[in-house]
Amino acid sequence: MKHKRFSQEQIIAVLKQGEAGMPAAELCREHGISEVTYYRWKSKYGGMEINEAKRLKQLEDENSRLKRLVAEQALDIVALKDVLSKNW
């Protein structure tokens, strides 16, 4: 079975339908998603507007980039300490 990727705009549109009173089971059947996926989306994007979701994605990307930088610097520090600790 092929997995579908939904854009943030599509996810928010699905959640808006749910907020408008459409039952979750019917929503999931209509969009071809599981109820688990629907509730996961609801916990992450519930009550958000499209611009807020885009900002969230930007912040998540920036956070992951910064975490990689910190990890690389920590490795560099460990390597430098190893080199400096050796007696020449």
Side-chain angles (χ1 to χ4, degrees):
M1 183 172 176
K2 184 177 178 182
H3 293 275
K4 295 181 181 178
R5 292 267 320 187
F6 289 86
S7 69
Q8 291 175 336
E9 292 85 6
Q10 291 170 324
I11 292 171
I12 291 174
V14 169
L15 293 176
K16 294 271 185 205
Q17 288 178 344
E19 290 173 1
M22 190 175 206
E26 186 177 330
L27 252 175
C28 294
R29 194 174 325 108
E30 180 180 316
H31 294 284
I33 60 174
S34 69
E35 286 194 40
V36 173
T37 300
Y38 173 76
Y39 288 112
R40 189 179 323 122
W41 287 353
K42 189 174 180 180
S43 70
K44 185 173 183 179
Y45 297 105
M48 280 190 187
E49 295 296 325
I50 293 173
N51 60 348
E52 293 170 333
K54 287 181 181 180
R55 180 69 179 143
L56 175 65
K57 179 67 175 158
Q58 287 175 343
L59 290 173
E60 287 174 342
D61 291 343
E62 182 180 1
N63 191 27
S64 65
R65 183 181 59 82
L66 292 173
K67 283 182 178 182
R68 272 194 308 275
L69 283 173
V70 168
E72 289 172 4
Q73 286 182 346
L75 288 173
D76 290 345
I77 289 171
V78 169
L80 287 173
K81 284 183 180 180
D82 286 344
V83 168
L84 291 176
S85 67
K86 292 183 179 179
N87 292 330
W88 297 94

